[in-house]
Each structure stands twice: as structure tokens, then as C-alpha cells.
Amino acid sequence: MNASLTSPDFIVTLPPPTPNGGLHIGHMAGPFLAADIFSKAAQARGQTVHVLSYSDTNQSYVRATAEKQNRDPKELASVWTQDILETLKLYDCQVDDYFEPHPASNGFVRDTLLRLYDQGVLKKKSYPFFYLPAQDVFLDEAGVSGLCPRCLDDCKCGICEACGFPTRADTLINPRATNDPDLEIEMRHVEVLVLELENCREALRQFHSFSDAIRPKYRWLVDDALADPLPDFPVTVPGSWGIATDHPDLPGQVINAWPELVLDLVYGYQKVAPEGAPSTRVVNFFGYDNSYFYGIVHVALLQAAGLQRFLPHATMINEFYNLENAKFSTSRGHLIWARDMAQNYPPDLIRFYTALTSPGLEEGNFSEIDMREVIQRRLLTPYQEIAAAAPIQDETIEPSAMVRQVMQGISTRVSESLQLNRFNLRHAAEDALKGLSAINSCLATGTLSRGELVLLLDCWSQSIAPLMPATANSLRLMLVMDIIPETLPYEPVNHDTSQRAEEANV
């Protein structure tokens, strides 16, 4: 190992957003805020964190949305990539490297996969795809809709978001062209590169034998997948949207965006964790619907490519976050854009409410009415009661045993819920609220000095910093000056009305 090389303690990955629309509240409440809160908590413990993502412009959903809107897909992707970055900044989400695929990253992806083809790891085999005779084109994943043969939910020809398992042209029930269901489609076989997952069974089994930071539903999906013969997975597909293979054996084919995903991340990993540097721990945050790709396809591909050092140390999935008890749906207009919500409410308060209702181990639900009521009743009012009862005189120099005990509890409870082995945003938010209650209880004794209250509030502000970073920072600065603000000093609503694309309709 080269002692002169360095690498971060953690590389935290955000799921690459598909730039055919912005980030809605469901996106933010799932992996994006979870990853940011974990990163901020780790950094507060003195660990180094590098947050990585990229714009998933080569996904077929970009092409399908652009076709539906009669727009250039590159222009569409560029507009929404910028919007996504601005939204993450608005919510104070750390992103250290976020790139759009470019010739160097595309070349790395292509060269890695073609090397595996030359080595015989990837095989050229016949695979079923849907074809549109009227336009003489093969349809990609987003181009075909139908019913999942496993759980019978609506899905696309590639993955079922509900059960998390892949679908294909010869198993999809009632298939139809997504943008024009009346057009006739047919199934044709094309020789493409595939990863023979069944040959990776033992390596997959051994990798998934550990249990660090693995959520149950992700474990169940892996177990269910390994219980049956593993199907071949298409690494290339017929089409024109994506990274061209540029190989004579694979005419008219592009690289499937799902295996591309892990190699684009590796491209980013290598910038901060070069070979020979101390090992870094990769932590993947993503929605449950991508579990098969991350847990089966990506693990098998990393092992096959000799990139085992970038296998994930921990995997943090999240369930769906519903809006008024129904799934977020751009096509039905059932959504709230995260950027629009931040024009009406301070982002820190949205962060806290979505943590309190987060879809970690179970589905969550967002309700704007509930958010207003819960934030006021459980967070803002208890703080205001503390500030109103704050002693004016400071007669105590050393904190009492009661104060020290409460400070210890505040310092540890939230932090423990934000570590990998028990990461749970709901618990962290609940414990932050309990900390406020404990401070109120101390005040009720009538023995608390102003200095002790300042110490308690400072301790509490440090504990909530990963959840509400701007608010915590403002509160700490005021406490240093012996100012106890009457209300929580969250940043005012950003009323920036700058134009952004409103026409997303996936």
C-alpha cells in the first residue's frame, strides 16, 4: 500500500437521477436526504466522506420523455441536470462529484465491457426484444409497458419497480408501446452481449453472506433471486440512445444503462480512491426498486471486472414515499416538486419532516397539511416554550448532574441512529424531539440557570445538525453570544421565482 496516497473513509453514492424531470419530494425523502444526513453525521464524528453521483442521461426514459414532448433528448437532459443540481443545493445536500457522462467516462465504460468480452466473460447470445414494425426500430426499456409476470403490477420491459425483479420481452404480460399503445409490436431476437449471472452464483452468494447494514427487504430480494436459476442479463441492447458499442460484432447496439451505472460510479471512485490507497468504504443509497441491479448485476460485474475493492460496504435502500397515501406519479400529475416546496417552506423544516416520516424500513407518506401541523406542534412550539421560559440571570458555573445526564443523552441518541449499523432517520428525528422535551423538563424544575440552558441548547443544536444544518448552525452562533432566539432560527423561505422547466411529463 502506498502511504502517500489517501482516500476518504466513505464514498457515499446518490442514485444517479434520470434527467427527464426534476426531483420531487419522494426522491428527496428517499435516498437523497438520507445520504446527506448520513454524510453530515459521519463528518461530525470526524470521518471523511466523498459524495458521488452523476446524471443518468443514457437511460431510455430520457429518450422516451423527449419523444413524448417532441424535444431533443440531449437538450432535455441538460435542462433537468441543472435543475436537479440546483435542487440539491437548495436543500443543502452535499455533492462532491456530480458529472454528466462525457467522452472519458463513456470510454471507460465501453473499454471495460469490451475487455470482458475479449476475455470471454461477457458472451454474445440471442436475447428477446420488442420491435416496432411501423417505425422499423427496436423498443428500449422505457418504450414498452405491461404487467410484471412476478407481481402483476404495471411495469416497463426491463424492471418492475414494485417487486424489484427484472422483466423481459418473453415474460412481460400484455405488452404495449408506452407512447403509442395502439401500435403493433412484435418480439424479435438479437445477438447481444450478456452477463451470464448463473455463472456468478457462488461469488454472489459469498458476497451476500455478510450482514453489515443490509435492510431486510433487500436481503429477501437477493435470497429470492438466488433461489432460482439466474437469467442472463443484457449488457448491450439494440438502439441508438446511449453509449455506442463501436464494435463490429455488435452493430447498431448501445450499452444498457443499468450496467453502465456501476461503471460510471467506478469512474468516479477511482478519482478519490486510486489503486494502492487505503481502503475506502462504499455506501450505496438508492430506492428498493433498483435492488436487483445493485445487488445482483452490479456485484457480479464488479467481481468479473476485477474491481472487488469497490464492492459496497453497505447498502441503504428505502421504500416508496407516498403523497397523500398514493404513489408519486409524474404522468398523473400526482407529485410535488421538491424545488417548488422549498419556495413555500424553509428547506430545513422539510428536511426534518421527511426524516420524521421517511420511507426507510417501511413506506412513508407526505402530507402538506400534516407537515405544517406536526412541525408546529412537535418542533416549533416546544422550542418557543423553552425560549419563553429561559432564565435571565446566570448563577451557575458548573452544570448540575441532571444537566450533564441530559446532555449525554442528547449527544448520543441521535448520533447512534445515524450510524451504519442502525441507520434510521425516523428514530433520529424522534430522538431530536425527545431532546427538546427533556430540556423543557429540566426547565420545569425551576433550578436551571441560563448558562445551563445555553449548554443544553448548544448540545441539542449539534445533535440536529445533520437533520437541519442551516438551523443548527444559526442557533449555535447565537448561543455563543448568549442569545436564545424566541423561535428556531431557520432560514427564511427562498422566494426566488427564476424560471425552470415545467413541462416534465414522464
Side-chain angles (χ1 to χ4, degrees):
M1 181 180 297
N2 189 335
S4 65
L5 295 175
T6 60
S7 59
D9 294 317
F10 292 107
I11 297 178
V12 172
T13 68
L14 307 176
T18 304
N20 62 340
L23 296 177
H24 55 59
I25 287 294
H27 292 135
M28 294 301 297
F32 293 94
L33 284 176
D36 183 65
I37 292 170
F38 168 79
S39 299
K40 285 178 167 56
Q43 289 166 325
R45 295 191 295 268
Q47 296 167 307
T48 54
V49 179
H50 181 82
V51 181
L52 168 68
S53 191
Y54 74 95
S55 186
D56 203 6
T57 59
N58 293 323
Q59 276 287 359
S60 59
Y61 297 89
V62 173
R63 181 210 56 76
T65 301
E67 178 184 273
K68 191 173 184 179
Q69 297 178 0
N70 194 29
R71 293 175 65 177
D72 173 46
K74 292 183 179 179
E75 179 268 337
L76 177 81
S78 178
V79 167
W80 285 113
T81 295
Q82 185 60 36
D83 185 89
I84 289 166
L85 282 170
E86 291 173 0
T87 301
L88 292 172
K89 182 178 180 180
L90 189 60
Y91 279 83
D92 201 7
C93 289
Q94 175 181 342
V95 184
D96 300 300
D97 186 9
Y98 190 105
F99 62 92
E100 292 186 82
H102 49 79
S105 63
N106 290 346
F108 173 77
V109 173
R110 182 190 300 110
D111 292 348
T112 301
L113 294 175
L114 293 181
R115 170 173 61 83
L116 294 179
Y117 175 47
D118 292 339
Q119 293 172 350
V121 176
L122 298 180
K123 304 292 179 63
K124 188 177 178 183
K125 296 176 69 173
S126 179
Y127 197 88
F129 295 93
F130 282 114
Y131 177 76
L132 191 62
Q135 299 179 12
D136 189 27
V137 294
F138 283 93
L139 294 171
D140 49 28
E141 177 180 311
V144 182
S145 302
L147 298 179
C148 171
R150 188 180 184 92
C151 73
L152 303 180
D153 203 353
D154 291 324
C155 67
K156 296 295 189 290
C157 188
I159 190 66
C160 174
E161 292 186 352
C163 69
F165 273 79
T167 60
R168 45 189 277 172
D170 55 356
T171 63
L172 195 68
I173 299 173
N174 189 26
R176 59 198 179 278
T178 301
N179 285 347
D180 194 343
D182 294 330
L183 290 177
E184 179 184 353
I185 60 175
E186 61 186 44
M187 188 176 68
R188 292 187 179 185
H189 282 76
V190 179
E191 286 196 332
V192 297
L193 290 190
V194 301
L195 177 60
E196 296 177 323
L197 291 173
E198 184 61 28
N199 292 339
C200 306
R201 169 179 294 276
E202 183 56 25
L204 287 166
R205 188 192 64 78
Q206 289 184 13
F207 174 75
H208 287 295
S209 63
F210 73 90
S211 59
D212 288 349
I214 298 295
R215 287 182 164 168
K217 195 170 180 181
Y218 178 80
R219 165 71 64 191
W220 299 336
L221 180 140
V222 170
D223 288 345
D224 288 347
L226 293 176
D228 296 319
L230 293 165
D232 293 340
F233 189 86
V235 173
T236 64
V237 296
S240 59
W241 180 252
I243 302 174
T245 58
D246 290 339
H247 195 284
D249 291 353
L250 308 164
Q253 295 183 29
V254 295
I255 294 168
N256 188 336
W258 292 112
E260 177 202 341
L261 191 160
V262 69
L263 294 179
D264 269 328
L265 291 179
V266 168
Y267 177 82
Y269 297 157
Q270 293 179 335
K271 298 179 188 177
V272 294
E275 193 166 2
S279 60
T280 188
R281 288 170 286 180
V282 173
V283 183
N284 296 144
F285 282 82
F286 56 90
Y288 169 77
D289 50 316
N290 288 337
S291 294
Y292 189 91
F293 300 128
Y294 278 84
I296 300 297
V297 178
H298 293 177
V299 169
L301 194 55
L302 287 171
Q303 290 171 324
L307 296 167
Q308 291 90 337
R309 65 194 180 99
F310 293 128
L311 286 166
H313 171 77
T315 299
M316 287 295 168
I317 67 162
N318 61 269
E319 294 288 345
F320 285 116
Y321 195 57
N322 295 318
L323 173 61
E324 304 292 355
N325 297 305
K327 183 179 176 181
F328 276 82
S329 173
T330 309
S331 60
R332 299 197 312 272
H334 186 70
L335 56 77
I336 300 176
W337 295 115
R339 189 166 172 178
D340 290 346
M341 181 60 66
Q343 306 303 319
N344 300 319
Y345 302 95
D348 262 20
L349 299 188
I350 302 172
R351 284 176 65 110
F352 189 83
Y353 177 76
T354 53
L356 194 63
T357 57
S358 66
L361 298 172
E362 59 283 300
E363 290 191 358
N365 183 66
F366 181 87
S367 165
E368 188 173 349
I369 294 174
D370 184 67
M371 181 181 74
R372 290 199 298 265
E373 191 275 331
V374 166
I375 288 294
Q376 185 63 54
R377 175 173 53 85
R378 301 194 64 193
L379 178 66
L380 301 183
T381 296
Y383 175 83
Q384 290 164 357
E385 292 171 350
I386 291 171
I392 297 176
Q393 299 297 325
D394 184 5
E395 301 174 355
T396 303
I397 298 176
E398 292 294 327
S400 68
M402 174 188 70
V403 169
R404 290 196 301 270
Q405 189 173 0
V406 171
M407 288 176 63
Q408 177 64 23
I410 290 174
S411 297
T412 57
R413 289 293 296 176
V414 176
S415 177
E416 287 174 350
S417 292
L418 298 180
Q419 298 189 45
L420 279 180
N421 62 338
R422 59 175 64 190
F423 188 78
N424 192 306
L425 292 183
R426 290 192 182 195
H427 288 176
E430 287 287 354
D431 284 333
L433 295 175
K434 290 174 185 175
L436 270 187
S437 296
I439 295 173
N440 244 325
S441 180
C442 290
L443 270 172
T445 65
T447 63
L448 203 65
S449 71
R450 184 178 182 85
E452 287 176 315
L453 178 58
V454 167
L455 285 175
L456 285 167
L457 286 174
D458 183 70
C459 181
W460 183 75
S461 68
Q462 292 182 62
S463 75
I464 66 166
L467 300 167
M468 296 190 291
T471 300
N473 184 58
S474 295
L475 180 57
R476 293 202 73 197
L477 289 175
M478 298 178 81
L479 292 172
V480 167
M481 297 182 288
D482 193 34
I483 299 172
I484 300 176
E486 295 181 358
T487 60
L488 273 182
Y490 48 81
E491 291 188 353
V493 175
N494 180 0
H495 288 293
D496 176 20
T497 56
S498 60
Q499 291 295 315
R500 72 177 181 87
E502 295 287 353
E503 66 273 25
N505 187 19
V506 182

